[in-house]
């Protein structure tokens, strides 16, 4: 049985109305259309946005272009930009409860999880502020008496930042502060499903002292508002997080003007477990990795690759612990798994479970949608007897569904882990550190957790191999991703005539 936390009515909650931020002004969309967001955990409208079109996207791009070419932000000292980012971090921390509430009601994530994400986001802004002052170039005094070489690192220019619905404030915080630290100007388009906290971020940045036009925020669909941000010639770089399919489209659009692209895409992340592992610790991590954010997480530990000797016992224990997971009202502090983002996505998740059952997998726990009286919810689900060729073992379900596969040898485990198109992250559990390092070095993924799962820090780079994306976010080089290098080759003293004889 799943522990249910039934949603309570929102009572006298008043729908939040939001406008777009373009060139330092809060404005309506060119066509005056709006987008309404229905809370996935409560089934009522909670937010209303102005819907951006191509016209609005082009207005925002033009504002960012002027701010970069003519404005003060790229020409400030690094210490001045750093101070603005630090002020923004302080305001984010002060408004964290408000921002967490908006993310919880719009995305369906548990409120306590949202608060944890806000704390992490504030830390990222502070880290970016520190990196702003660490950005530097190179000098070469080794090229002979007549030459001095200097390599400058300059802001790349106008950056389009496109973020998904599953971690609204956290993911924009993995991109925007680093772009700002480098001296870039930006157009930000959050998902039209979860835009509220990003729009409030616009207010925060105004209060922190970010000049007009440096950060522009529009809300709209990918086809209407997002596409111009990826193809417009005045945009110098696109930073996108979302599905692998839309990531491919983003690359195609950006190729029209050969702009730089950073992509953080999907994942189908394995946890490989050997018999000598600390199974109590692993079982807790398995449940967390599968159901965190209702599994709507590119980093979810959605594949368990268990040694055959322990597979049955471990699966039973995971099922037992899964039965204690509290599912329901995103605003209840006791909730661990909230709502599914849309009814259509819930249907997609259920379709994967049904197809796996038809293909021979066994539902060891859950397996169905939950009717809690309002909103849409999915029971934490475990599928055992999953084969590597099944769709549920290869494709990103993006829901609270855990697929259990088995192996006998280390080589087989590595082969299964690497047999799919993704390579975002992986975990390995063993008391033998040689085993852990072997897996860590041979599994092709951007992050490998050893005897833990889904830990992170602002200092550690994040990104994937293959169809999990291009580039890395976070880490000490994060600001450099938003820069270009320029070589100054300087001659010293009298220049020798070397082309035409005199």
């Amino acid at each position: 049985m799943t522990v249910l936390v039934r949603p309570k009515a929102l009572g006298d909650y008043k729908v939040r109305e939001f406008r777009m931020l373009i060139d330092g002004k809060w404005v309506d969309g060119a066509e005056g259309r709006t987008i309404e967001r229905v809370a996935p955990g409560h089934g009522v409208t909670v937010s209303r946005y102005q819907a951006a079109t191509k016209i609005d996207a082009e207005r925002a791009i033009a504002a960012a272009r002027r701010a970069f070419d003519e404005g003060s932000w790229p020409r400030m000292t690094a210490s001045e930009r750093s101070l603005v980012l630090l002020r923004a971090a302080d305001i984010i921390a002060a408004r964290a409860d408000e921002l967490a509430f908006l993310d919880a009601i719009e995305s369906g994530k548990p409120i306590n999880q949202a608060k944890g994400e806000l704390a992490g986001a504030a830390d990222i802004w502070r880290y970016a502020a520190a990196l702003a002052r660490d950005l530097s170039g190179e000098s070469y005094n080794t090229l002979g008496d007549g030459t001095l070489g200097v390599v400058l690192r300059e802001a790349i220019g106008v950056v389009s930042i496109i973020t998904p619905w599953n971690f609204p404030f956290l993911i924009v915080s993995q991109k925007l502060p680093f772009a700002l630290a480098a001296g870039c100007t930006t157009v930000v388009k959050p998902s039209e499903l979860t835009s509220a906290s990003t729009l409030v971020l616009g207010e925060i940045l105004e209060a922190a002292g970010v000049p007009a036009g440096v950060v522009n925020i529009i809300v709209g669909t990918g086809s209407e508002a997002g596409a111009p941000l990826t193809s417009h010639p005045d945009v110098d770089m696109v930073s996108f997080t979302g599905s692998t399919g839309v990531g491919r489209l983003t690359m195609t659009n950006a190729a029209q003007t050969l702009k730089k692209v950073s992509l953080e895409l999907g994942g189908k992340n394995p946890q490989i477990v050997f018999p000598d592992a600390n199974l109590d610790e692993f079982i807790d991590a398995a449940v967390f990795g599968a159901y965190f954010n209702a599994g709507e997480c590119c980093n979810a530990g959605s594949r368990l690759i268990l040694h055959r000797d322990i597979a049955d016992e471990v699966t039973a224990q995971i099922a037992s612990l899964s039965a204690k997971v509290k599912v329901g009202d995103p605003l209840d502090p006791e909730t661990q798994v909230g709502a599914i983002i849309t009814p259509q996505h819930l249907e997609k998740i259920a379709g994967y479970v049904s197809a796996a059952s038809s293909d021979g997998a066994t539902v060891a726990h859950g397996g169905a949608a939950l009717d809690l009286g309002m909103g849409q919810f999915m029971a934490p689900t475990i599928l055992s007897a999953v084969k590597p060729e099944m769709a549920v073992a290869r494709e990103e379900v993006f829901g609270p569904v855990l697929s259990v596969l088995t192996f006998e040898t280390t080589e087989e485990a590595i082969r299964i882990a690497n047999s799919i198109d993704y390579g975002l992250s992986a975990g390995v559990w063993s008391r033998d550190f040689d085993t852990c390092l072997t897996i860590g070095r041979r599994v092709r993924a951007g992050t490998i957790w050893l005897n833990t799962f889904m830990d992170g820090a602002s200092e550690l780079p994040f990104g994937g191999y293959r169809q999990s994306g291009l580039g890395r976010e976070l880490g000490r080089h994060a600001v450099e991703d938003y820069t270009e290098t320029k070589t100054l080759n300087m001659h010293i003293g009298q220049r020798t005539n070397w082309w035409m004889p005199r």
Side-chain angles (χ1 to χ4, degrees):
M1 291 292 292
T2 299
V3 180
L4 304 180
V5 183
R6 297 190 180 276
K8 300 176 183 177
L10 292 180
D12 58 357
Y13 174 84
K14 186 177 180 180
V15 176
R16 289 281 298 264
E17 304 270 356
F18 294 95
R19 305 172 86 189
M20 291 179 285
L21 178 61
I22 298 178
D23 204 13
K25 301 179 179 64
W26 292 95
V27 298
D28 293 336
E31 296 185 2
R33 293 186 285 115
T34 59
I35 296 172
E36 291 191 349
R37 178 57 181 148
V38 174
H42 298 88
V44 297
T45 299
V46 289
S47 308
R48 188 174 294 115
Y49 320 114
Q50 289 290 312
T53 63
K54 180 181 179 182
I55 295 172
D56 302 301
E58 290 177 342
R59 289 165 59 201
I61 292 167
R65 187 79 262 168
R66 284 192 302 273
F68 185 79
D69 293 343
E70 305 168 15
S72 62
W73 186 255
R75 293 155 191 89
M76 287 182 179
T77 66
S79 62
E80 289 171 331
R81 286 198 295 269
S82 179
L83 286 172
V84 173
L85 297 180
L86 288 171
R87 286 197 293 268
D90 289 343
I91 302 171
I92 288 167
R95 298 183 68 173
D97 286 349
E98 172 194 2
L99 293 163
F101 176 82
L102 292 172
D103 277 1
I105 60 172
E106 287 198 329
S107 74
K109 67 173 72 254
I111 186 66
N112 280 346
Q113 178 191 317
K115 290 180 179 180
E117 291 168 17
L118 262 295
D123 181 72
I124 293 171
W125 281 82
R126 293 190 175 102
Y127 183 63
L131 290 183
R133 302 186 68 168
D134 190 51
L135 191 64
S136 61
E138 304 165 4
S139 64
Y140 292 87
N141 194 33
T142 57
L143 307 176
D145 290 343
T147 302
L148 176 65
V150 174
V151 180
L152 305 181
R153 192 170 283 282
E154 299 181 340
I156 197 169
V158 175
V159 181
S160 292
I161 293 176
I162 302 173
T163 58
W165 47 259
N166 55 335
F167 294 94
F169 201 89
L170 185 61
I171 289 180
V172 75
S173 297
Q174 293 178 183
K175 302 174 183 289
L176 181 56
F178 299 102
L180 295 177
C184 296
T185 60
T186 62
V187 181
V188 181
K189 192 198 88 66
S191 166
E192 67 275 16
L193 298 178
T194 56
S195 297
S197 64
T198 302
L199 289 163
V200 172
L201 177 60
E203 300 174 5
I204 290 170
L205 296 178
E206 285 185 313
V210 174
V214 172
V215 176
N216 305 274
I217 304 173
I218 63 174
V219 177
T221 63
S223 58
E224 289 191 293
L229 300 185
T230 62
S231 60
H232 198 285
D234 280 343
V235 172
D236 300 295
M237 176 179 173
V238 180
S239 180
F240 170 85
T241 295
S243 70
T244 296
V246 179
R248 292 192 195 100
L249 181 60
T250 297
M251 284 192 71
T252 299
N253 290 344
Q256 298 175 35
T257 50
L258 295 179
K259 56 178 97 280
K260 185 176 182 179
V261 178
S262 174
L263 303 173
E264 198 278 284
L265 306 176
K268 191 68 179 176
N269 313 293
Q271 294 202 64
I272 301 171
V273 188
F274 289 84
D276 66 336
N278 184 323
L279 295 181
D280 288 340
E281 292 184 0
F282 160 69
I283 288 162
D284 180 76
V287 171
F288 170 72
Y291 307 140
F292 175 72
N293 209 58
E296 296 170 327
C297 176
C298 59
N299 231 8
S302 55
R303 283 193 299 161
L304 294 190
I305 304 177
L306 305 179
H307 193 280
R308 192 157 291 146
D309 290 348
I310 59 171
D312 291 343
E313 172 195 352
V314 168
T315 301
Q317 290 187 50
I318 293 171
S320 177
L321 189 57
S322 297
K324 300 176 182 179
V325 171
K326 296 180 173 66
V327 181
D329 189 353
L331 298 181
D332 191 308
E334 295 295 315
T335 296
Q336 296 166 296
V337 173
I340 301 301
I341 190 71
T342 63
Q344 295 79 12
H345 189 58
L346 177 62
E347 185 177 348
K348 175 186 173 183
I349 296 168
Y352 271 106
V353 175
S354 176
S357 297
S358 298
D359 289 342
T362 300
V363 177
H365 183 76
L370 299 172
D371 183 3
L372 301 187
M374 61 178 79
Q376 58 268 348
F377 301 86
M378 180 76 187
T381 297
I382 302 169
L383 295 171
S384 61
V386 173
K387 302 299 181 185
E389 64 272 15
M390 292 181 180
V392 76
R394 306 187 65 82
E395 299 174 12
E396 194 173 35
V397 176
F398 228 60
V401 177
L402 184 59
S403 297
V404 179
L405 302 91
T406 60
F407 73 95
E408 289 187 353
T409 67
T410 299
E411 290 296 323
E412 184 183 9
I414 293 169
R415 185 169 62 251
I416 294 171
N418 288 336
S419 66
I420 62 170
D421 295 329
Y422 298 111
L424 187 57
S425 66
V428 54
W429 294 80
S430 172
R431 297 181 195 270
D432 185 335
F433 211 67
D434 286 352
T435 297
C436 289
L437 285 180
T438 297
I439 298 293
R441 296 177 71 175
R442 293 185 57 192
V443 170
R444 294 181 55 78
T447 297
I448 310 291
W449 284 287
L450 282 59
N451 293 315
T452 188
F453 198 76
M454 224 185 294
D455 286 342
S458 301
E459 292 84 352
L460 298 177
F462 177 71
Y465 286 33
R466 295 175 289 180
Q467 294 189 32
S468 287
L470 297 173
R472 295 292 184 268
E473 295 181 340
L474 304 176
R476 62 187 298 263
H477 300 294
V479 176
E480 294 179 6
D481 290 343
Y482 295 93
T483 65
E484 291 276 24
T485 55
K486 176 187 289 182
T487 297
L488 301 184
N489 192 327
M490 297 176 280
H491 181 74
I492 303 168
Q494 184 175 355
R495 182 174 173 274
T496 301
N497 295 324
W498 56 273
W499 181 242
M500 295 294 291
R502 300 295 173 95

